[in-house]
Amino acid sequence: MGAGSRASRILTGGSRRPGAPAVALASTVVFFGVLGLVVVSSPGWPRVRDAFLDAEVFAAALPDVLRAFAVNVRLFLIAELLVLVLGLLLAIMRNLPGPVFFPLRLFAVVYSDVFRGLPGIAVIYVLGFGVPGLRLPGVPRDPFFWALVALTLLYTAYVAEVYRAGIESVHPSQEAAARSLGLTRIQALRFVIVPQAIRRVIPPLLNDFIGLQKDSALVSVVGVVEAFRQTQIRAAATFEYTVFLALALVFLLVTIPLARLTDWLVARDRRRQLAGGVR
Amino acid sequence: MSADATAVPAQQSPPTAPEAVRIEGLHKSFGRLEVLRGIDLTLAQHEVVCLIGASGSGKSTLLRCINLLEPIDRGRIVVEGEEISARGVDINRIRRHIGIVFQAFNLFPHMSVMGNVTLGPIQVLKRPRATAEADAIALLERFGLADKRNEYPDRLSGGQQQRVAILRALAMEPDLLLLDEITSALDPELIAEVLNLVRELAAGGMTMLIATHEMGFAREIADRVCFLDGGLVLEQGPPGEIFSAPREPRTQQFLQRIVEAGRL
C-alpha cells in the first residue's frame, strides 16, 4: 500500500511485467543521455556553462541568498496565517443565509472574482508604490508591509474558494441533522459543517501555499530585498548567473517538502475512503 | 374517576386525551411533483403512530415537514397547542421540542459519541458542559452505550450509530419524536437492537410518529397505524384492524405485496 507501491508505480507506470523496471531504467538513460548531448553540443554551451554552472560562485552565493530568503519566509508565513483566517471568513460570508446578508455575500463574490482575476504583480505594484505614494499620515510606507498586504489579498481570494468548495462538499443531511436539534444556521456552520470542511480542504490549501511561497519572490519589484532581489543584485554586479541556481535550490528546499506532504495527505485520505471510512 | 389509575390511553385515541400534534390539510410539492395532497392527522400525547405505505407515498416528507426541515405549501401543523406552521414562528425554538431520527443516521463524523449527544444541550439549551455530559452519560448507560462514549461514529456498527442518533435526539428531551425509516439502512441482524430501544421509549410514554417498513414492529408497537398512499392518509386505525381487515383496496394490495415479500 504505502510509499513503496506509489514509488514503483511511478517507475513502471503500472506495468507488472517482470522486465518493467529495467525498461524504465534503459529508457531514462537514453532520454536524458540524448537531451544532455543536445545541450552540451550546442554552440553556446561553453558560455552558458561558465555563467550558470560555477561551483565556486554557487558556494559563495548560497549563504547570502539564504540570508535574504529569511525575508521571504517571514513574508509567506505571516501571509499564510492571515490568509487562513481571512479566507475562511470570506467563505462563511458567502454562505450567510437570508436577505439581510446580501451585501456581505455580494462583497464575497466580487472580492473573489476581482482578486483571482488580477495579475498578482499588478496588485503588488499598485499597493507597493501607489499607497505609500499617497503620503497619508499614519499609513505605513514600508514596502514589506504593502507586499504582505498584496499577497494576503490575492491568496485570500483563492483560499476562500477552496474553503467554499469544502463547505459545499459536506452533505446537506449534516446540516439537516444539526438544524433538527435546534441549532441556528450559523451554529450549524460553526460546529458541524466548517470543521468537516476544513479537514477536507487541507491538501488543496497546502497547494495554494506552495504558490504563495513561490510568489513571495514577486515582491522584489517594489524594492523588498528578499532572496530574488538579492540574487539579481549579485548577478548584476558579477555577471555570474550561477546565483540563480542557488536561488532555485533555496526555493525548492521549502516547496518540494510541502508538495510531498500535500501528496501524502491526499493519498492518506484516499486510502481512508477506500477502507470504508463512513462519510 | 375510577380506581383504575393505570389505565392506558384507549386504542383509538379518544378525543379526551390531550392532543400532541394536529395536522390539517397539509400540502407539499417539490416542483410539479405533489408529494402531500392534504394530510389530516392527529396524535394524542403518549401515542405511538406508525406511518406505512410504499416508497414515495410521502412518509418521509411528512416527518420532515413536521420538523420544519421542509417548508409547507398549504395547511396547518399544530404541536402542543402552538401552530408551528404559522408565519414568524422561531423554527429553532420549535425544533428543540421535536426530535427527528434519519434513515442514514446523520451522526456528526468529526465528533465522538459524547460530542454528538451533548451538542444540542450545550449549544441550544445552553446547559453547562458538565451537566450536559452527566446527562449524556446517564442516557448512554440506560441504553447500554456508555462504553462507546469516546468512540467516533465510523468505529461503531450501524445499529450502534442509529442508537446514538436516537439518543442525540432524546438528549434534547423532546415532546415528540419523529423516526424516519430508522432501520432501513441497517443489516438485518442489527435491526433488533434499534427496535428494542424504540420499544423502551414507547413503554416510557414518548409520543412518536414512526415511518417504517417493519410491519411486524408496527403491528406490535403502534397504538394506531396510518396507511399513506399518493400523499393522503388513505386509511387509519388500530394495527389489528389495519393489518387483519383493511377496508381500502389499496391498503389490501400494499399489504398483500408485503406478505408476498415475506415481510409480514
Side-chain angles (χ1 to χ4, degrees):
Chain A
M1 282 274 111
S5 84
R6 254 180 295 142
S8 83
R9 197 184 149 74
I10 288 170
L11 184 65
T12 61
S15 165
R16 287 171 191 207
R17 290 198 356 238
V23 172
L25 222 59
S27 95
T28 307
V29 169
V30 170
F31 177 78
F32 285 105
V34 169
L35 190 67
L37 268 177
V38 169
V39 171
V40 172
S41 62
S42 63
W45 168 245
R47 287 184 56 194
V48 170
R49 184 191 53 202
D50 292 345
F52 279 96
L53 295 174
D54 188 320
E56 266 177 48
V57 173
F58 183 88
L62 196 56
D64 223 17
V65 175
L66 262 178
R67 250 193 309 280
F69 190 64
V71 177
N72 297 66
V73 172
R74 200 152 63 92
L75 185 65
F76 68 63
L77 283 184
I78 300 174
E80 280 168 2
L81 275 178
L82 292 172
V83 162
L84 273 181
V85 176
L86 296 175
L88 182 58
L89 286 180
L90 203 65
I92 289 173
M93 227 184 253
R94 202 168 167 152
N95 267 286
L96 288 177
V100 184
F101 292 117
F102 173 70
L104 289 184
R105 285 194 299 270
L106 181 71
F107 170 80
V109 172
V110 171
Y111 180 95
S112 269
D113 284 3
V114 168
F115 280 99
R116 279 185 305 160
L118 286 172
I121 199 155
V123 176
I124 292 167
Y125 255 113
V126 169
L127 287 179
F129 287 139
V131 181
L134 295 173
R135 296 171 187 271
L136 288 169
V139 173
R141 299 173 65 175
D142 174 15
F144 180 88
F145 175 82
W146 289 107
L148 177 65
V149 171
L151 283 180
T152 303
L153 288 177
L154 285 164
Y155 274 86
T156 292
Y158 287 102
V159 167
E161 289 302 303
V162 169
Y163 277 126
R164 186 164 76 99
I167 287 171
E168 283 171 7
S169 79
V170 176
H171 197 275
S173 64
Q174 284 289 309
E175 188 178 348
R179 299 301 303 276
S180 77
L181 291 173
L183 270 72
T184 63
R185 177 94 213 276
I186 309 259
Q187 284 178 318
L189 271 172
R190 174 169 161 208
F191 295 109
V192 175
I193 296 165
V194 169
Q196 293 183 60
I198 287 179
R199 263 155 247 238
R200 289 181 201 184
V201 300
I202 287 171
L205 271 182
L206 293 181
N207 223 4
D208 276 349
F209 282 176
I210 294 172
L212 173 58
Q213 295 181 359
K214 285 187 310 179
D215 280 357
S216 69
L218 291 177
V219 309
S220 62
V221 297
V222 290
V224 179
V225 183
E226 44 65 74
F228 183 74
R229 191 80 194 148
Q230 186 61 43
T231 306
Q232 277 186 317
I233 292 169
R234 265 191 98 97
T238 60
F239 299 102
E240 286 285 3
Y241 295 101
T242 306
V243 202
F244 283 103
L245 221 58
L247 175 75
L249 181 77
V250 168
F251 268 93
L252 289 181
L253 279 179
V254 296
T255 51
I256 287 186
L258 196 51
R260 290 293 93 222
L261 175 67
T262 308
D263 273 13
W264 180 77
L265 285 173
V266 171
R268 193 193 59 175
D269 283 357
R270 207 179 130 71
R271 275 201 306 281
R272 279 192 183 163
Q273 272 171 19
L274 290 178
V278 181
R279 279 171 285 279
Chain B
M1 287 195 288
S2 75
D4 188 7
T6 60
V8 286
Q11 292 271 304
Q12 198 105 39
S13 69
T16 52
E19 173 186 285
V21 182
R22 189 171 76 247
I23 298 164
E24 294 170 356
L26 176 55
H27 285 259
K28 171 70 188 174
S29 302
F30 293 102
R32 267 184 299 170
L33 182 68
E34 217 182 354
V35 180
L36 302 180
R37 300 191 299 142
I39 298 274
D40 294 305
L41 185 65
T42 311
L43 259 79
Q45 275 173 15
H46 310 298
E47 194 181 20
V48 176
V49 172
C50 283
L51 301 171
I52 63 169
S55 299
S57 59
K59 304 188 296 290
S60 290
T61 305
L62 175 57
L63 295 185
R64 292 175 66 89
C65 285
I66 298 173
N67 196 259
L68 303 179
L69 285 171
E70 300 289 352
I72 68 171
D73 299 335
R74 251 190 306 150
R76 273 158 47 92
I77 304 173
V78 180
V79 176
E80 303 289 337
E82 181 178 7
E83 185 181 349
I84 64 168
S85 53
R87 263 177 201 283
V89 166
D90 177 1
I91 57 176
N92 298 317
R93 181 174 57 80
I94 298 300
R95 286 190 183 125
R96 283 176 211 172
H97 308 291
I98 305 176
I100 186 166
V101 183
F102 304 91
Q103 180 176 343
F105 329 142
N106 300 2
L107 287 177
F108 307 129
H110 61 298
M111 290 182 185
S112 66
V113 166
M114 183 60 99
N116 269 278
V117 177
T118 56
L119 180 67
I122 292 173
Q123 299 303 336
V124 178
L125 303 179
K126 306 294 178 197
R127 300 235 167 106
R129 177 173 296 275
T131 313
E133 289 189 346
D135 291 350
I137 288 172
L139 198 58
L140 291 166
E141 263 167 5
R142 194 170 129 212
F143 294 102
L145 285 162
D147 57 323
K148 303 290 181 194
R149 63 173 176 264
N150 295 320
E151 294 284 9
Y152 283 79
D154 62 357
R155 306 260 301 152
L156 302 178
S157 74
Q160 290 166 339
Q161 288 187 55
Q162 192 58 297
R163 281 152 67 205
V164 171
I166 296 172
L167 298 191
R168 177 175 69 179
L170 280 183
M172 296 294 291
E173 294 164 6
D175 300 324
L176 167 68
L177 199 55
L178 310 168
L179 306 181
D180 186 5
E181 294 185 28
I182 57 169
T183 57
S184 295
L186 293 176
D187 291 336
E189 77 272 20
L190 302 175
I191 290 176
E193 60 186 84
V194 173
L195 295 187
N196 282 336
L197 202 168
V198 179
R199 279 186 192 100
E200 281 185 55
L201 297 181
M206 176 65 73
T207 312
M208 287 189 281
L209 187 55
I210 305 175
T212 185
H213 287 297
E214 302 287 336
M215 298 302 157
F217 177 68
R219 177 172 214 156
E220 163 206 330
I221 198 174
D223 298 315
R224 189 152 44 99
V225 174
C226 297
F227 175 66
L228 258 68
D229 187 66
L232 288 168
V233 178
L234 199 63
E235 182 170 2
Q236 57 178 311
E241 227 167 74
I242 296 285
F243 287 114
S244 312
R247 291 187 309 271
E248 298 288 335
R250 297 279 301 149
T251 317
Q252 291 162 8
Q253 253 175 34
F254 172 75
L255 290 172
Q256 184 60 34
R257 281 202 298 273
I258 300 283
V259 170
E260 281 165 10
R263 299 292 289 269
L264 185 66

